[in-house]
Amino acid sequence: MPFSESIETPLQPLEHALFEHYKIQVWIKRDDLNHPTIQGNKWHKLRHNLEAAKKSNKTQLITFGGAYSNHIAATAAAGKMYGFETIGFIRGEELATCPQHWSHTLIEAQKKGMSLNFLSRAVYRQKSDAEFMTRLEKAYPNGYIIPEGGTNLKGVKGFKPLMQNLEKQCPEWTHLFCAVGTGGTLAGMIRYAQTSKTATNEKVILGVATLKNADYLRTQITELSQPTFAKQAINWQLLTQYCGDGYAKPDSKLLDLNTWFKTSFNIELDPIYTVKMVNGFLQELEKGTFPKGAKVILYHSGGLQGIAPNC
Ligand SMILES: *Cc1c(COP(=O)(O)O)cnc(C)c1O
C-alpha cells in the first residue's frame, strides 16, 4: 500500500437497547480494518513519516516505546514492508537480560527484524531532549527518528483523509470519541474536523486518556492541532478520569467490558486503548452528557496486535 493511501473503512452502526433508552445513535469507525499489518491510528501517524524517510534517503527508522507499544509493532512492520532497517529504544533496562519476560509485541517486533535496545527509565525520559537527539543523530547518520507514538506534525497530518472520510460518512455527527496515549490522534482529529457556523448541533471531540496524570498532554495537543489556515476551532476535551489503573494494565472491570462489547456487537477491542475509550463513552452516557438525538462516533484505533497470547 503506497504511503499516500488511506483506505475508507466502514462506519458501522451499533444497535443496543441502552442507546435506544437514551435516544442516541452510535457508530463505530472501523479503522482496525485500515491496513493489514500497520493497524488503525498507527498507519495514519506513520504514512508521512515513511514518505519523508524515503525522500531523504534514510535507510533506518529509529523510534521509542514501552514493551506493549503498538507503535513499536507498527514501526517494525513498516520497516519490513517498506524496506527500512528498524531500531527500537524500549523503556525498561531490566528486559535486556530476561527475554522470557518479553511481551508478544517485543517478540514480534524482533521477528520482523527490529533491533531492540533497552533503556533505563531515567534515560528513556530524556528521549526527546535536544542533547539526546544530537547524540542519536550522530550515532545513526542514516536514521530517520520518529518520536514515541509516532506523534509529530507529520504524524498528525496523516489524519486528514480519515476525517474527510468520516465527515462524508456522517456529516451530522455530534460527538467523536478516541483513545489518547500521546495525543497525536486527538490532535489530528481536531485539526481536520469540519466546523460549520450554520450547523444546529455543536460538534465535540472527546479524547479518553489511557495513562494516569495525562493533563500535561493538553499543551502538545493544542500545538499540534492548530491548522495553518484560519479555521473555526472545534470543541474538544481530554477526559482524564477513565484511565483505570494506568497503561497496559486492564482491570477486571475493563476485561468484563471487553467481553460485553464483543458479545453485543461482535467487535474486538484492544485491552489498553479502545476498551478505555468505550468505558469513557458509557460513563458519559450514564452521566447524561448526550442530548437526545446525539450522533456519537467511537473511533476504533486498532491495537489488536497486542492481544495475541504471550508465547
Ligand atoms: C497508540 C494507540 C492509541 C493512542 O494514540 P495517540 O495518538 O498516541 O494518542 C490509541 N489507540 C490505539 C489502539 C493505539 O495503538
Side-chain angles (χ1 to χ4, degrees):
M1 203 151 122
F3 305 138
S4 56
E5 211 165 293
S6 172
I7 70 158
E8 304 196 348
T9 54
L11 183 68
Q12 188 176 333
L14 299 181
E15 318 254 333
H16 198 278
L18 187 63
F19 308 154
E20 271 172 43
H21 171 78
Y22 285 97
K23 300 197 164 45
I24 64 164
Q25 281 176 281
V26 184
W27 290 264
I28 188 162
K29 175 65 173 166
R30 296 293 307 275
D31 255 9
D32 53 319
L33 305 175
N34 71 345
H35 192 285
T37 51
I38 310 168
Q39 198 182 51
N41 62 348
K42 298 303 183 279
W43 173 239
H44 298 302
K45 293 203 280 187
L46 278 175
R47 292 188 302 126
H48 295 310
N49 280 299
L50 297 174
E51 192 173 46
K54 276 272 185 255
K55 269 197 188 136
S56 53
N57 292 320
K58 302 287 189 189
T59 56
Q60 299 167 318
L61 304 174
I62 299 175
T63 198
F64 307 86
Y68 298 92
S69 163
N70 293 323
H71 168 68
I72 287 292
T75 306
K80 189 164 180 203
M81 191 153 195
Y82 297 105
F84 295 98
E85 279 175 51
T86 49
I87 297 157
F89 286 96
I90 311 298
R91 184 177 55 230
E93 65 191 331
E94 70 283 356
L95 289 166
T97 48
C98 50
Q100 70 275 19
H101 289 154
W102 285 11
S103 61
H104 171 76
T105 302
L106 292 184
I107 294 168
E108 282 301 309
Q110 194 183 49
K111 272 193 205 153
K112 293 198 169 78
M114 181 176 264
S115 94
L116 302 173
N117 301 275
F118 296 90
L119 300 179
S120 70
R121 281 160 178 77
V123 175
Y124 189 86
R125 265 196 295 278
Q126 302 167 11
K127 66 191 175 304
S128 39
D129 295 354
E131 200 192 318
F132 188 88
M133 286 302 243
T134 312
R135 279 214 319 261
L136 206 58
E137 282 161 12
K138 277 215 183 101
Y140 299 95
N142 297 317
Y144 180 89
I145 302 170
I146 305 174
E148 185 182 47
T151 292
N152 55 14
L153 192 55
K154 285 200 169 61
V156 165
K157 287 185 172 175
F159 289 90
K160 187 174 182 181
L162 162 73
M163 289 310 290
Q164 287 174 336
N165 177 226
L166 252 189
E167 301 286 0
K168 202 173 71 187
Q169 287 174 317
C170 184
E172 68 279 17
W173 65 269
T174 57
H175 299 77
L176 171 59
F177 275 86
C178 71
V180 173
T182 60
T185 304
L186 177 57
M189 289 180 161
I190 298 167
R191 191 177 174 105
Y192 296 110
Q194 292 295 314
T195 45
S196 150
K197 288 197 185 100
T198 55
T200 43
N201 282 317
E202 283 252 33
K203 290 176 169 182
V204 57
I205 305 182
L206 300 132
V208 178
T210 57
L211 293 154
K212 279 189 193 166
N213 308 321
D215 292 295
Y216 77 96
L217 289 174
R218 286 196 180 88
T219 316
Q220 171 162 298
I221 293 168
T222 305
E223 274 168 23
L224 287 172
S225 62
Q226 309 281 341
T228 45
F229 49 92
K231 170 176 160 289
Q232 195 189 349
I234 193 152
N235 295 321
W236 63 276
Q237 289 170 26
L238 180 66
L239 307 175
T240 55
Q241 66 273 48
Y242 303 123
C243 63
D245 290 346
Y247 190 65
K249 285 182 219 135
D251 57 26
S252 61
K253 203 176 133 252
L254 288 176
L255 291 174
D256 289 349
L257 178 59
N258 213 332
T259 310
W260 173 82
F261 198 84
K262 194 169 177 192
T263 318
S264 305
F265 307 114
N266 198 23
I267 296 171
E268 193 97 56
L269 300 173
D270 84 290
I272 302 176
Y273 293 103
T274 48
V275 74
K276 289 181 185 167
M277 181 268 297
V278 168
N279 180 41
F281 156 63
L282 290 173
Q283 305 257 356
E284 291 290 316
L285 179 62
E286 284 173 14
K287 258 172 56 184
T289 300
F290 311 115
K292 274 184 200 152
K295 295 179 191 294
V296 181
I297 297 177
L298 309 176
Y299 178 62
H300 197 319
S301 40
L304 300 180
Q305 70 84 23
I307 63 176
N310 246 329
C311 321

